[in-house]
């Protein structure tokens, strides 16, 4: 049954899902990090290995748990705190990822991304509100690569577009570092990816492309000061059945910190 009132959200709330991840001092201010690679709760995820064209995801080891499919699951509350520094904490849905990109190849590497699952902003496969990130699945070596992608936007019109690094790639990036790609003017999401170009060799390591949809974001103004969004302040975004929730953290400094919090869902 659809949730149309606050009473309905309260009645449908599920027990909270807890997370706790210890971040090392090798972080870089302003550079996003996928916390799910780190030890803690839930346990760490492993590097993707589906091949170059990737796989649409309906679950993945290390994700934030989500209740069994109901056809009507929403985010009711997302809270977090960082023990020693501020930053931005994001809850996202991981729709697709790949592996097999050669980190020493400087030319375009063609791929045909598997269709996204029907979990974009509108519950379709078109990619409205779906973005792409370059994720470091194994620490990289020397080489100031300038990655870019060619993609088709969520409308399917206008031909291939170019996405560049939103945060500049840095040599010797640690596992879990997450570099979002930009969108071309007027675009609001990505439907598919046709190639990735590094331009400069990364020397070593492994990388993946990830299609993801942001669900909620909280600002952590300083260490030890929690923040949260609830059914009102989050807009109660929908998590379609078989969503794969994961966490991105954008730190303010390099300080070692413990990031912990809870995710609460409501089901109609």
């Amino acid at each position: 049954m659809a949730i149309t009132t606050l009473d309905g959200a309260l009645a449908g709330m599920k027990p909270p899902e807890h997370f706790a991840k210890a971040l090392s001092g090798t972080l870089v201010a302003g550079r996003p990090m996928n916390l799910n690679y780190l030890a803690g709760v839930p346990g760490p995820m492993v590097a993707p290995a589906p091949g170059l064209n990737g796989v649409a995801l309906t679950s993945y080891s290390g994700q934030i748990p989500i209740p069994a499919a109901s056809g009507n699951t929403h985010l009711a509350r997302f809270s977090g705190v960082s023990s020693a520094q501020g930053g931005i904490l994001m809850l996202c849905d991981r729709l697709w990822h790949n592996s097999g990109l050669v980190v020493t190849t400087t030319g375009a590497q063609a791929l045909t991304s598997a269709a996204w699952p029907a979990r974009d902003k509108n519950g379709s496969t078109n990619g409205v509100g779906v973005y792409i990130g370059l994720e470091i699945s194994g620490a990289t070596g020397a080489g100031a690569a300038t990655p870019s992608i060619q993609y088709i936007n969520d409308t399917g019109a206008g031909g291939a577009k170019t996405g560049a690094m939103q945060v500049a790639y840095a040599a010797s990036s640690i596992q879990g570092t997450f570099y979002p790609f930009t969108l071309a003017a007027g675009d609001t999401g990505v439907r598919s990816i046709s190639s990735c170009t590094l331009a400069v060799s990364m020397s070593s390591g492994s990388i993946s492309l990830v299609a993801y949809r942001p669900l909620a974001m909280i600002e952590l103004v300083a260490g030890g000061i929690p923040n949260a969004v609830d059914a009102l302040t989050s807009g109660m975004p929908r998590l379609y059945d078989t969503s794969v929730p994961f966490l991105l953290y954008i730190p303010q400094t390099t300080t070692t910190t413990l990031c912990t919090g809870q995710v609460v869902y409501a089901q109609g």
Side-chain angles (χ1 to χ4, degrees):
M1 178 170 32
I3 297 176
T4 58
T5 65
L6 284 177
D7 284 344
L10 288 170
M13 281 189 184
K14 301 298 181 181
E17 297 291 349
H18 177 70
F19 62 85
K21 297 288 184 175
L23 288 80
S24 76
T26 53
L27 300 172
V28 176
R31 187 181 299 168
M33 180 81 177
N34 176 358
L35 299 190
N36 291 68
Y37 273 104
L38 302 173
V41 179
M45 64 176 283
V46 297
L52 199 57
N53 292 333
V55 63
L57 297 171
T58 57
S59 66
Y60 199 65
S61 178
Q63 73 176 68
I64 304 294
I66 187 171
S70 76
N72 195 23
T73 301
H74 293 263
L75 181 67
R77 182 176 171 84
F78 174 47
S79 62
V81 64
S82 173
S83 63
Q85 64 160 300
I88 296 172
L89 187 62
M90 297 175 63
L91 180 69
C92 304
D93 180 17
R94 190 179 182 102
L95 281 73
W96 170 96
H97 61 206
N98 79 342
S99 63
L101 290 163
V102 180
V103 297
T104 55
T105 296
T106 58
Q109 300 183 60
L111 63 134
T112 303
S113 57
W116 310 152
R119 300 203 310 263
D120 75 356
K121 189 175 180 179
N122 299 324
S124 80
T125 62
N126 290 337
V128 179
V130 174
Y131 309 116
I132 308 300
L134 185 144
E135 183 177 84
I136 307 302
S137 52
T140 57
T146 55
S148 63
I149 57 169
Q150 292 288 299
Y151 71 89
I152 301 297
N153 70 16
D154 55 287
T155 69
K161 306 290 187 70
T162 299
M165 289 277 90
Q166 185 174 326
V167 177
Y169 171 80
S172 303
S173 288
I174 63 173
Q175 185 185 49
T177 307
F178 196 92
Y179 294 99
F181 287 97
T182 61
L183 296 179
D187 288 353
T188 57
V190 175
R191 180 176 294 190
S192 63
I193 309 167
S194 57
S195 71
C196 178
T197 303
L198 302 181
V200 176
S201 170
M202 294 179 176
S203 301
S204 61
S206 57
I207 59 175
S208 294
L209 298 176
V210 177
Y212 67 104
R213 178 170 71 100
L215 299 168
M217 181 182 75
I218 52 178
E219 302 83 14
L220 306 177
V221 297
I225 300 178
N227 199 1
V229 291
D230 57 24
L232 284 176
T233 55
S234 71
M236 211 166 66
R238 185 166 175 187
L239 286 88
Y240 297 95
D241 290 346
T242 67
S243 289
V244 182
F246 75 108
L247 299 165
L248 292 177
Y249 179 64
I250 305 175
Q252 286 184 340
T253 71
T254 62
T255 306
T256 296
T257 191
L258 174 67
C259 189
T260 186
Q262 292 184 330
V263 180
V264 178
Y265 306 99
Q267 290 187 318

